[in-house]
Amino acid sequence: MDKLRIMSVFGTRPEAIKMAPLVKELKNREGIESLCCVTAQHRQMLDSVMEVFGLVADCDLDIMTPRQTLSTITSKCLTGMDGAIERLKPDMILVHGDTSTTFAGALSAFYHQVKVGHVEAGLRTYDKYSPFPEEMNRKLVTQIADLYFCPTKNNRDNLLREGVKDGIFVTGNTVIDALKTTVRDDYRFSTDVLNTLDYDGRKVVLVTCHRRENYGEPMKNIMTALRDLAVQNEDVELVYPVHLSPVVREAAQTYLAGTPRVHLIDPLPADEMHNLMARAYLVMTDSGGLQEEAPALGKPVLVLRRETERPEAVEAGTVALAGVRYDDILRMGNELLRDKNAYAKMAHAVNPYGDGNACRRIADAIEWHFGRRSERPADYLP
Ligand code: UD1
Ligand code: UDP
């Protein structure tokens, strides 16, 4: 029997981190040829992940340009994908999450009548502009996909309510699979400042902020609140690996540079980031991925967004929405830094997002779908 040709398509840092363990799992299956096509919507931040996880692309569309627009990303991905699909002839294309690469990858697969598996399917806020453009990307991919790999039961229920009838699997999130391979007690950082921080004696606050819907006023509010948190709390060391987007870097320079105890550093390799998170006191972020990783590591998270498509950890009590207003962020940050009881209530490890076996379930589901396995994998229902 011919091997199944399964092509994973991704382009940004978070997609790469979450697809890396799946590409490897598929490689280990005898009946599967695991192919990897990167759009390189991110260049340096993607290359860093490829290096950390030892991935090599079969095809690299190399589309990134400085200050790229949504239209440019989508159109360049679509054009590039034509050649990749014609050359690599996949039986199925896997896309991840909700970026422009995700949407263009799925649309291109459809144009070529290639089946689509959507990894991290079913997340929703039901607000089309928040997150922007991600909420629309993932809804559009839902219309195209054949298989849906939902991290949680709640994600599955969203799809069922929207009328998706077949092909849904609850698998857990592959980010937990990735985290299991990177976090180690004896990890030594290669970024100097991270080795000099006193993680026991000081309160290390790990910050990230990059979302398009936060550009402008919200980002100003977030960053000035973070600055004042550092100024008002002498036991805090605020570490912010700044995304390479020029818009974000300019804002960080304007509002945070030069503030005592604020460390603006370059984006970290994924293993450095995960180990820093494991030692941090508190995480403040507008990232999606960090909202899944930090709870698994027992770290409280304040989300710097108006809403979240990841309500599971909010329900479990380890994640709280701080919003994008200066007063709210400062108040909630100060509460967690100063009130031990408030902190203790949030600082416990929960794993609503997976048990580290998501990739095995996804690979099993693909084999089952193509008639190469007799049993449908059981859903992950913790
Ligand atoms: C993208 C995704 C977003 C995801 C985020 C993860 C879209 C529309 N947005 O947003 O969903 O949360 O990635 O980080 O798909 N840049 C570099 N080098 C890099 C990466 C980025 O220089 O390695 C700069 C470039 O100038 C680029 C800009 O950052 O034009 C913005 O990158 P882009 O992928 O368009 O948007 P993100 O905000 O990163
Ligand atoms: N991350 C990283 N280095 C950094 C910042 C984040 O490796 O300097 C990781 C983080 O641990 C998570 C992922 O990148 O796995 C999240 O990516 P990002 O915040 O860019 O995107 P989002 O999850 O919001 O789409």
Side-chain angles (χ1 to χ4, degrees):
M1 210 187 290
D2 284 347
K3 283 191 173 193
L4 289 172
R5 298 176 68 77
I6 308 298
M7 182 163 95
S8 301
V9 176
F10 49 90
T12 66
R13 169 173 67 193
E15 294 167 83
I17 292 171
K18 292 167 161 183
M19 288 299 267
L22 181 55
V23 171
K24 287 188 179 171
E25 175 71 31
L26 294 170
K27 252 195 175 59
N28 289 337
R29 302 276 168 136
E30 271 188 10
I32 292 181
E33 183 77 33
S34 175
L35 305 162
C36 175
C37 170
V38 298
T39 65
Q41 174 180 334
H42 285 172
R43 185 70 275 172
Q44 303 90 326
M45 284 158 56
L46 172 77
D47 292 345
S48 162
V49 180
M50 300 296 278
E51 196 186 323
V52 167
F53 291 98
L55 296 183
V56 179
D58 297 287
C59 171
D60 188 331
L61 307 183
D62 197 23
I63 68 149
M64 194 194 87
T65 49
R67 294 179 193 266
Q68 58 205 1
T69 64
L70 299 178
S71 315
T72 329
I73 305 170
T74 305
S75 52
K76 284 178 114 178
C77 284
L78 277 176
T79 314
M81 285 291 298
D82 279 344
I85 293 177
E86 277 156 23
R87 183 161 71 81
L88 296 173
K89 299 188 174 26
D91 296 303
M92 171 171 270
I93 283 181
L94 299 178
V95 293
H96 180 280
D98 51 21
T99 71
S100 294
T101 287
T102 315
F103 169 55
L107 185 59
S108 182
F110 170 69
Y111 287 164
H112 291 265
Q113 299 190 22
V114 174
K115 289 190 173 183
V116 174
H118 188 194
V119 182
E120 201 178 87
L123 280 69
R124 294 288 188 270
T125 60
Y126 294 107
D127 175 342
K128 87 190 226 194
Y129 292 112
S130 177
F132 170 81
E134 291 82 3
E135 176 74 4
M136 188 53 68
N137 284 340
R138 57 199 176 211
K139 286 180 97 164
L140 294 169
V141 174
T142 296
Q143 303 313 308
I144 297 172
D146 299 278
L147 298 184
Y148 304 85
F149 305 115
C150 296
T152 69
K153 178 177 169 298
N154 167 52
N155 304 144
R156 177 191 69 185
D157 293 344
N158 287 341
L159 295 183
L160 291 174
R161 266 195 306 275
E162 290 172 25
V164 178
K165 292 201 171 55
D166 298 315
I168 307 180
F169 301 83
V170 185
T171 60
N173 197 308
T174 59
V175 79
I176 305 298
D177 301 31
L179 210 52
K180 273 192 165 176
T181 66
T182 50
V183 175
R184 290 200 317 266
D185 286 344
D186 61 351
Y187 186 84
R188 195 154 169 81
F189 296 104
S190 53
T191 311
D192 282 346
V193 63
L194 303 183
N195 283 322
T196 58
L197 289 173
D198 172 6
Y199 295 93
D200 296 323
R202 318 276 294 165
K203 290 180 178 141
V204 174
V205 179
L206 173 57
V207 167
T208 76
C209 178
H210 71 85
R211 304 215 76 81
R212 267 185 161 78
E213 73 269 16
N214 280 340
Y215 284 4
E217 195 64 23
M219 208 166 267
K220 177 181 174 190
N221 297 341
I222 290 169
M223 291 192 186
T224 48
L226 291 169
R227 179 195 64 201
D228 292 349
L229 264 185
V231 170
Q232 292 172 18
N233 296 278
E234 288 196 355
D235 55 349
V236 158
E237 301 287 340
L238 194 146
V239 182
Y240 178 3
V242 187
H243 190 291
L244 291 181
S245 161
V247 181
V248 176
R249 291 181 91 77
E250 279 162 19
Q253 269 307 312
T254 307
Y255 301 116
L256 285 165
T259 309
R261 300 181 299 283
V262 170
H263 309 272
L264 298 181
I265 58 176
D266 281 335
L268 290 168
D271 53 342
E272 297 265 299
M273 183 66 176
H274 291 169
N275 283 282
L276 173 59
M277 208 180 310
R279 289 171 208 195
Y281 184 79
L282 168 65
V283 175
M284 296 180 74
T285 187
D286 68 357
S287 159
L290 266 77
Q291 291 178 57
E292 297 151 348
E293 293 163 344
L297 297 169
K299 305 299 170 177
V301 182
L302 290 181
V303 178
L304 308 170
R305 292 164 63 170
R306 285 190 286 120
E307 44 205 326
T308 180
E309 60 287 90
R310 294 168 169 90
E312 296 85 355
V314 177
E315 277 153 27
T318 61
V319 170
L321 268 185
V324 294
R325 292 178 39 192
Y326 170 90
D327 290 344
D328 295 334
I329 298 168
L330 191 62
R331 178 178 44 78
M332 290 174 80
N334 269 329
E335 188 184 19
L336 281 180
L337 289 168
R338 295 172 183 187
D339 179 343
K340 278 195 178 133
N341 291 331
Y343 181 84
K345 267 192 202 154
M346 285 183 75
H348 51 268
V350 292
N351 260 332
Y353 299 112
D355 60 354
N357 295 311
C359 297
R360 178 178 56 69
R361 293 188 187 94
I362 293 171
D364 285 353
I366 293 170
E367 290 180 344
W368 180 75
H369 173 77
F370 283 101
R372 306 284 175 103
R373 170 176 292 273
S374 53
E375 274 187 40
R376 194 185 201 279
D379 279 342
Y380 170 65
L381 299 171

